[in-house]
Each structure stands twice: as C-alpha cells, then as structure tokens.
Amino acid sequence: MDGRLVLFLCLAFEISVESNTIFLEVPAPTQEEVKFMTTYGYLPKVQGDIDLAYTPQSISEGVRKMQQFAGLEPTGNLDEETRKLFRKRRCGVKDIESTPRSRRYILQQGWGRKAITYRVLNGSSTLDKARVRTLMAKGLAVWAPHGKLRFEQIEQGPADIQVSFASREHGDGFPFDGPGRVVAHAFPPPHGAMHFDDDEVWGDGPDEAADDDVTDFFAVAVHEIGHALGLSHSNVKSSVMYPYYQVPVEKLHMDDILGMQELYLKDELSSFSEMEGGTDNPVFTRSSLAPHFTQAGTSDEEDLPDLCRTNYHAIQVIQGKIYVFEEKWVWVLSEQQKVDAGYPKPFHDVFIGLPKRVKDIHTVYEKLNGNIVVFSGVNYWEFNSRFRLVRRGRSSDYGVPRRAELTTVFVSNYNNKTYLIEDERYWRYDERVGAMDRGYPRSMAAWRQVPAPVDAALIWKGDTYFFRGPRFWRFDNKLVQAHEYYPLPTAQIWFPCEPTPEMANYVINEEP
C-alpha cells in the first residue's frame, strides 16, 4: 500500500460558471492524515481496517470541521491550505471534545483553589533548567491576574504542575513524534503535568524563533499552562489556546480570559453582578481598572467621555488609523489599544471647515479616492486627504431618501462598493459610476448573526467589523454571516482598557 487510502474520495461539488456545472475530484487523505483527524477529534475512532471505515461523506465532514476550527473556509475539500495543517507545529491535546460546544472556549476543570504549586523537573538539550524556570515563571504570570492565582515554585516533592522534557514514548500514552508537528502537551487538573518534546530545538524568545527550526519555549509554555489550569483548545485564531504554534505571545485574548473567569472567578463575578443590580439590569460604575482618558489642558469641569465606559457615535478607519467619535471628541489610534499622542481632541480641530453647529458625527468614511466624508443628520461634508473641506451636500445625493439619516457608511474591501446603512435597512452605492445599485434598499437581516441597528462598520487589516453598543462582531464576507465566536467587548479589544467584571455580559447578542 502506498500510504493512501484505497478508497478515492470523490467529492462532487458544483461551481456555477455561466450556468455550467463543474465536478472536481479531490484526492483521498493519506492514512497519516486520517490518523491526525481521529487523534484530534475530527473523525470518530474505529476498530479494524480504516481503509473501509470511512465514507467520502464522513471524510468530507471531518475535513470541514478541521477547517472550521482552524479558521479556514469550511469547504470539506482537502486543498493545499488545509493539508498544511497536517504539517504545522502544534499542541498534542485533542481539539474537538465529545461534549457539545456551547461556548467559544471549552473547559475541563480548575484546581478549585487559588494557590498552585509548580516544579521544573529538568531542562532540554537546548535550553537549560535555570532558563526554563525563568520562562515558566514569566508564563504563569501571564495567566495569574485573570484567575487571581498565586503560583509557588518548589524544588522537591510532588507539585500541582510538573514540567518536564521527554522524547518519543515517555510513559503517559501520548508519545511524541520527533522534530516538528507535536511539540508539547499538558493535562488538566488534577493531573497538571506539562510535557515538552526534547527532540525539538527549543529557543529563548521570538528572535530565535524566527529560525524555522527553532521553537519558542515561552510561546508554547503559555499555551500549555492554559491546559494545566483547565482550558481546552479554542478555535479563535488569535487566542493563546488556538492549537497551532504561533509567535509571539504577548498577552491573553478575551477568549482565554473568559475561560479563566469561568474556572476561577465565577462566584466572585456572580457576587459582583448581584451587588451592581443583577446581570439582567447591570449598573455600570467607573472602575479603577478602566483608565479615564483626559486631554492635556482640559479642566476637570469638562466631562470628557471615558473611552472604556461608553457607547460610540462612530468608529471608522481613515488613512490606516482608527478614529473614534463620541460627543464633540475624537480619539485616533495608530493600532488597536494605542492612542496617538494629543488625543482625544475636539473633532472640529481635525476637520477644518466643519460648521460649528455640527454637534456630533453620526458616521464617517474614506472614499476610494482618499477623500473623507462626514455625515450628520441628512447632510454631509467632504474633506480632502488633509482634512480640509472641499464640498458639502445632502445624503440624498447618494441616492438614499431625502429624510434618511445614515448611521453607518463604509467601503467594503470585498467588492469596493459603498454600503450606506440606516437602522434596519441598507443601500449599496457604486462610487466608480456614481450611482446606486439596483434592488436596494435591503433589510439588514441579510448580514446574518449581526443584530440591527449597528452603530459602526469598518474594515481593519482585511476583516469587516460591526459595532453596536459595547460589543463588536467580525464578519465573514464569504459565508455572509458573523463568525460564531463573536460578539466580544469593544473597549477591552480595541482600546487600552483593562478587563472588568461586566465584560462577561458583552459576549452574547443581547442589550445593553
């Protein structure tokens, strides 16, 4: 046998091209690829000859699950991008659990206490024990604040979490596979062991890890610590608990934080919600965890909105930066969580020539030609790339009804069309010909899993995002629906705001 299944997987799928139907044949997975899918939970394990165990339909469904978990388009076809997953470095812990997935994160169980001991048993052939201890302490410190945990390193005797390096078969029933692919695995409480493959070339920091042959120990350790604390894998690609190796690791994603809160802070957050008025009607108060941004030279009498504690009139990307508008103020961020020096400032200081009678900006967007358009009420003002006024007009110039007050306007990078949204309906405008597309307006229900009305929509680093109140959603233009692991809290992801107890309320599609 040449390593491929005898059964060739012929997946017939239709592609409509000028009313013709094309049928493609997709090659079957190798036995090694089938083993991968069974190991990580994408195919059920079977007894006997695997050549006859799976149908083309079951293989396709397993591939689709694997693609969906990894953040690829879930076609069910073994394309080259999917096949790369079989070769990537990753954690050896199973991805798909047998229990139904009701959350983005999946939990095993926590330690049931806040004080946890750990012990480093040995170093690797490329990283000495002293350095492993230092990096482990640093990795544990990443997780500690989000569960209010205290870690103590011990030198002798059994510890809650024991860290060791080993090769191939090492006594736990999950042998390593040599250099590459599986680099480590860990066990949830009450076992807590963390095992790293000693056949890997372990490095100390992202600079060394730039070498394709070197694996950054810190990045892997932070991931495995999550398992040792009780978290399973996440399908959120930017999460620390995403199963595939990624560097650098600098902090936890909201998905990781929510898992920690569920494991170690659930009772405390529940008590907090009760004190603040219950989860159904939370009362929001200023917290020392949420910094209040002030502008140099402003007086205390001016009530500057708190970027961490407010809903937003408008959010948009202009000239590669994030602009946030609330009341008469604008913040500018060069990257997520990085406010530019000198901000916030009154938006009239930015948009030169905008009439003083404009008290708030409903929406703003950057045209294909680089000009910036500000909407307020039924009017708009257009500025050049230097933010100088060049023309003014009414929203109806775009072809929308005369009394329509647009709440969101953005240019999609999917088709370069301008979308104009008013509450429950939207229009699609073609700037290149200066006309509205036929068949509009349409219902916002077409944007599946995104609740209407939305406060803002923008394109950031190739992805489409919708904002409403304190939440935001990432939208999949191909599937035409929001990604399943959204919404997430806007303030903690986009702005330099610390996590607060009420943020757990912002991961469901409900008000406020």
Side-chain angles (χ1 to χ4, degrees):
M1 179 172 287
D2 64 356
R4 293 200 173 263
L5 294 171
V6 174
L7 173 63
F8 278 89
L9 175 61
C10 296
L11 297 175
F13 63 93
E14 296 183 0
I15 302 177
S16 179
V17 181
E18 298 180 355
S19 75
N20 293 326
T21 300
I22 300 174
F23 292 92
L24 299 181
E25 287 189 354
V26 179
T30 65
Q31 288 194 16
E32 187 176 1
E33 289 169 343
V34 170
K35 182 180 178 182
F36 179 102
M37 289 191 284
T38 57
T39 298
Y40 296 110
Y42 300 110
L43 286 175
K45 290 188 176 181
V46 296
Q47 301 293 329
D49 190 347
I50 65 170
D51 288 353
L52 304 175
Y54 302 107
T55 65
Q57 291 77 15
S58 64
I59 291 286
S60 178
E61 178 62 16
V63 171
R64 188 193 66 78
K65 288 179 180 178
M66 186 174 73
Q67 291 168 328
Q68 192 167 42
F69 201 96
L72 302 179
E73 185 178 357
T75 63
N77 305 317
L78 272 174
D79 53 33
E80 181 54 33
E81 192 66 22
T82 303
R83 283 206 140 107
K84 288 179 181 178
L85 297 176
F86 297 118
R87 304 188 293 270
K88 279 188 175 182
R89 281 178 284 185
R90 58 158 296 146
C91 171
V93 175
K94 190 175 182 179
D95 296 340
I96 302 294
E97 303 294 331
S98 57
T99 54
R101 189 179 183 88
S102 58
R103 296 186 175 97
R104 294 180 302 281
Y105 53 86
I106 296 180
L107 308 178
Q108 299 286 341
Q109 65 181 70
W111 287 98
R113 59 183 186 278
K114 300 297 179 69
I116 300 168
T117 60
Y118 72 100
R119 180 184 173 189
V120 176
L121 300 181
N122 61 353
S124 82
S125 54
T126 58
L127 203 63
D128 64 53
K129 183 177 178 179
R131 190 58 188 156
V132 172
R133 284 176 173 170
T134 300
L135 294 172
M136 274 298 301
K138 182 181 174 184
L140 291 163
V142 171
W143 290 96
H146 302 290
K148 295 186 179 179
L149 303 179
R150 302 183 304 277
F151 294 102
E152 178 189 356
Q153 180 176 257
I154 63 175
E155 300 295 335
Q156 295 180 336
D160 296 321
I161 298 173
Q162 300 205 131
V163 181
S164 61
F165 292 82
S167 298
R168 304 291 178 171
E169 178 59 61
H170 52 282
D172 63 3
F174 299 93
F176 286 127
D177 55 8
R181 292 181 291 186
V182 177
V183 296
H185 54 232
F187 299 87
H191 194 296
M194 294 172 55
H195 299 157
F196 297 85
D197 189 350
D198 200 23
D199 285 332
E200 306 297 332
V201 179
W202 292 101
D204 181 2
D207 292 338
E208 287 189 32
D211 183 338
D212 288 341
D213 294 328
V214 177
T215 302
D216 180 22
F217 176 78
F218 176 75
V220 176
V222 172
H223 175 96
E224 300 304 333
I225 289 168
H227 288 313
L229 294 177
L231 275 68
S232 293
H233 281 153
S234 169
N235 63 358
V236 180
K237 196 168 186 178
S238 51
S239 164
V240 165
M241 297 312 296
Y242 186 70
Y244 297 94
Y245 174 70
Q246 51 190 353
V247 288
V249 170
E250 297 174 343
K251 59 183 178 180
L252 300 186
H253 184 275
M254 185 60 61
D255 196 61
D256 310 307
I257 293 170
L258 291 171
M260 285 293 286
Q261 288 189 334
E262 182 74 14
L263 279 173
Y264 295 99
L265 297 179
K266 188 174 183 180
D267 292 340
E268 295 174 39
L269 291 177
S270 216
S271 299
F272 180 92
S273 294
E274 290 172 6
M275 288 189 297
E276 295 294 320
T279 55
D280 292 333
N281 297 289
V283 177
F284 303 114
T285 58
R286 185 172 303 283
S287 167
S288 60
L289 293 177
H292 184 75
F293 293 92
T294 56
Q295 179 192 22
T298 60
S299 66
D300 291 337
E301 286 72 30
E302 289 188 278
D303 188 15
L304 180 67
D306 188 342
L307 194 61
C308 299
R309 295 285 180 170
T310 189
N311 297 335
Y312 315 99
H313 278 171
I315 306 174
Q316 191 52 270
V317 174
I318 302 172
Q319 297 176 352
K321 293 190 174 185
I322 304 165
Y323 282 66
V324 186
F325 299 87
E326 178 61 22
E327 298 179 5
K328 68 176 183 179
W329 301 97
V330 59
W331 289 257
V332 177
L333 294 86
S334 54
E335 287 286 343
Q336 285 176 262
Q337 304 186 337
K338 294 182 180 179
V339 178
D340 283 4
Y343 289 92
K345 64 174 64 173
F347 58 70
H348 285 99
D349 292 354
V350 176
F351 294 97
I352 308 304
L354 184 67
K356 294 296 183 183
R357 60 183 170 82
V358 177
K359 300 302 182 183
D360 57 68
I361 290 177
H362 288 180
T363 186
V364 58
Y365 86 106
E366 184 175 1
K367 297 176 66 174
L368 291 174
N369 66 4
N371 283 1
I372 301 121
V373 183
V374 169
F375 292 85
S376 186
V378 296
N379 301 307
Y380 73 84
W381 294 263
E382 185 170 334
F383 299 80
N384 63 20
S385 60
R386 298 177 60 200
F387 295 86
R388 266 54 176 181
L389 183 65
V390 294
R391 64 186 294 241
R392 66 189 69 197
R394 287 184 171 271
S395 303
S396 56
D397 295 347
Y398 281 80
V400 301
R402 291 175 60 86
R403 295 187 178 182
E405 294 192 15
L406 300 174
T407 54
T408 307
V409 180
F410 73 103
V411 177
S412 171
N413 63 340
Y414 186 67
N415 56 14
N416 286 329
K417 297 293 183 76
T418 301
Y419 288 82
L420 305 105
I421 301 173
E422 183 199 35
D423 296 330
E424 305 285 343
R425 58 181 179 168
Y426 74 95
W427 294 262
R428 193 175 72 187
Y429 183 81
D430 192 333
E431 287 189 8
R432 290 164 295 192
V433 298
M436 190 71 72
D437 286 350
R438 291 185 177 182
Y440 291 87
R442 294 182 182 177
S443 169
M444 283 297 293
W447 306 83
R448 299 200 303 272
Q449 307 303 317
V450 175
V454 295
D455 300 323
L458 56 82
I459 308 298
W460 179 249
K461 296 186 177 180
D463 284 319
T464 304
Y465 294 91
F466 289 94
F467 297 79
R468 183 187 183 190
R471 302 169 174 82
F472 75 98
W473 292 256
R474 183 161 69 94
F475 194 78
D476 189 315
N477 289 320
K478 293 182 179 180
L479 296 179
V480 198
Q481 67 179 43
H483 286 266
E484 64 178 352
Y485 44 84
Y486 284 80
L488 289 175
T490 299
Q492 283 77 27
I493 303 297
W494 290 85
F495 311 137
C497 304
E498 294 293 333
T500 55
E502 62 266 25
M503 72 183 178
N505 296 325
Y506 302 153
V507 296
I508 53 176
N509 286 328
E510 293 180 3
E511 296 294 348

